[in-house]
Amino acid sequence: MAKTGDRARSTAAPALSSLDFALDRGSPVPLYHQLAQQLEAAIEHGVLIPGNLLGNEVDLSVRLGLSRPTVRQAIQSLVDKGLLVRRRGVGTQVVHSQVKRPLELSSLYDDLEEAGQGPTTEVVRNEVVPASCDVAAALGVAEGSEVTALERLRRTHGQPVALLCNFLPSALLDLDSARLESTGLYRMMRTAGITLHSARQTVGARAATAEEAARLDEREGAALLTMQRTAYDDTGRPVEYGTHIYRASRYTFDFQLLVRP
């Protein structure tokens, strides 16, 4: 366990001072990597939140009993990931945590809430519209028939992370905007007795348009992850078709791959 010096106690950020770092000096894993992993875990779990200061490299090296190059390398690895930023005259500051989402049939809202990311939702659009050709094909309805179109901006720690566009059969359930801003769509579906069973999903990437960049607080042309999903209930009925975009700087999909027998 790293020991804290008097000087570091007086200058380290309170959130950082409350952390216990378990650095195994006998491990083959480099110390800088151990430190980076533990800092990243603290950011992902909300122990260190956007705006928290880590102090400068000298203070951190004294507090942790590490060399300054070791601390610098650990910090740089998280700066490269976009989790930390160095500010002149201020020190190292937490920017945000990157959302790592398992690739399974789950709601973004539920995943973020479970990860302690503090999700909030702004409903941009909630209206009944005629189904386009693509939407009709995905939902198994006639082109031009009525479907509910939802558009929501999802934030974590006050920062935009995704723009979600969903289409549902108009008679499926009551989609109240106030409820959609306080909970997730899939949670509302479960409450209404709809049992989700499976989905077909495609993940891709493209550059942000000017409008998308403005909504997601990115620059025009920034990398976006895209996802298209059609979800089915336990009777095989299509109940939701979604086209979502995510900030690649703040969001990743997490895959588990198995060897085929």
Side-chain angles (χ1 to χ4, degrees), residues 86-138:
R86 289 187 172 98
R87 300 193 188 281
R88 182 169 298 185
V90 176
T92 304
Q93 192 170 30
V94 178
V95 181
H96 54 66
S97 56
Q98 188 177 54
V99 177
K100 293 183 179 179
R101 187 180 182 189
L103 199 62
E104 58 187 31
L105 183 53
S106 60
S107 148
L108 175 60
Y109 186 93
D110 290 342
D111 290 340
L112 294 174
E113 189 173 67
E114 184 177 340
Q117 292 283 343
T120 59
T121 304
E122 175 189 346
V123 176
V124 179
R125 181 188 185 202
N126 182 0
E127 60 180 342
V128 175
V129 300
S132 67
C133 178
D134 290 346
V135 171

Side-chain angles (χ1 to χ4, degrees), residues 3 25 62 93 146 156 175 187 192 222:
K3 294 183 179 180
R25 299 174 190 276
V62 171
Q93 192 170 30
E146 291 188 342
T156 62
L175 292 170
R187 191 175 296 180

Side-chain angles (χ1 to χ4, degrees), residues 33-53:
H33 189 64
Q34 294 182 46
L35 175 58
Q37 283 185 316
Q38 292 177 49
L39 284 171
E40 183 172 357
I43 294 170
E44 287 183 358
H45 292 93
V47 179
L48 294 174
I49 62 174
N52 277 163
L53 291 171

Side-chain angles (χ1 to χ4, degrees), residues 2-259:
K3 294 183 179 180
T4 303
D6 292 339
R7 180 185 176 194
R9 265 196 298 268
S10 64
T11 59
L16 185 64
S17 299
S18 66
L19 293 178
D20 289 325
F21 293 94
L23 302 176
D24 183 357
R25 299 174 190 276
S27 170
V29 178
L31 288 171
Y32 86 88
H33 189 64
Q34 294 182 46
L35 175 58
Q37 283 185 316
Q38 292 177 49
L39 284 171
E40 183 172 357
I43 294 170
E44 287 183 358
H45 292 93
V47 179
L48 294 174
I49 62 174
N52 277 163
L53 291 171
L54 270 64
N56 60 45
E57 293 171 1
V58 174
D59 293 333
L60 284 173
S61 64
V62 171
R63 180 193 173 209
L64 301 174
L66 297 173
S67 69
R68 187 174 177 183
T70 296
V71 172
R72 183 185 301 118
Q73 193 170 3
I75 289 175
Q76 186 60 49
S77 68
L78 299 186
V79 169
D80 292 341
K81 288 186 175 184
L83 303 181
L84 300 176
V85 64
R86 289 187 172 98
R87 300 193 188 281
R88 182 169 298 185
V90 176
T92 304
Q93 192 170 30
V94 178
V95 181
H96 54 66
S97 56
Q98 188 177 54
V99 177
K100 293 183 179 179
R101 187 180 182 189
L103 199 62
E104 58 187 31
L105 183 53
S106 60
S107 148
L108 175 60
Y109 186 93
D110 290 342
D111 290 340
L112 294 174
E113 189 173 67
E114 184 177 340
Q117 292 283 343
T120 59
T121 304
E122 175 189 346
V123 176
V124 179
R125 181 188 185 202
N126 182 0
E127 60 180 342
V128 175
V129 300
S132 67
C133 178
D134 290 346
V135 171
L139 293 179
V141 299
E143 184 176 352
S145 60
E146 291 188 342
V147 294
T148 300
L150 296 177
E151 192 171 352
R152 295 163 295 154
L153 184 62
R154 184 66 43 77
R155 295 182 174 91
T156 62
H157 302 299
Q159 298 296 316
V161 66
L163 187 61
L164 315 173
C165 186
N166 299 82
F167 298 90
L168 300 90
S170 59
L172 186 68
L173 76 162
D174 179 24
L175 292 170
D176 178 71
S177 291
R179 286 192 63 201
L180 283 165
E181 291 192 342
S182 63
T183 190
L185 175 60
Y186 280 9
R187 191 175 296 180
M188 289 179 64
M189 294 172 75
R190 290 193 298 268
T191 301
I194 299 166
T195 303
L196 295 171
H197 177 265
S198 61
R200 294 185 62 88
Q201 179 167 289
T202 303
V203 177
R206 61 175 175 79
T209 66
E211 181 181 355
E212 291 166 345
R215 287 189 173 185
L216 293 172
D217 195 21
E218 284 282 5
R219 58 175 176 78
E220 184 177 356
L224 298 177
L225 290 171
T226 65
M227 183 185 75
Q228 290 186 336
R229 172 190 283 181
T230 303
Y232 303 86
D233 68 8
D234 54 356
T235 70
R237 173 183 58 161
V239 292
E240 176 251 345
Y241 171 62
T243 60
H244 303 170
I245 56 175
Y246 306 86
R247 297 174 67 181
S249 61
R250 296 206 56 198
Y251 190 93
T252 61
F253 288 107
D254 190 20
F255 295 81
Q256 181 178 13
L257 304 177
L258 301 177
V259 175

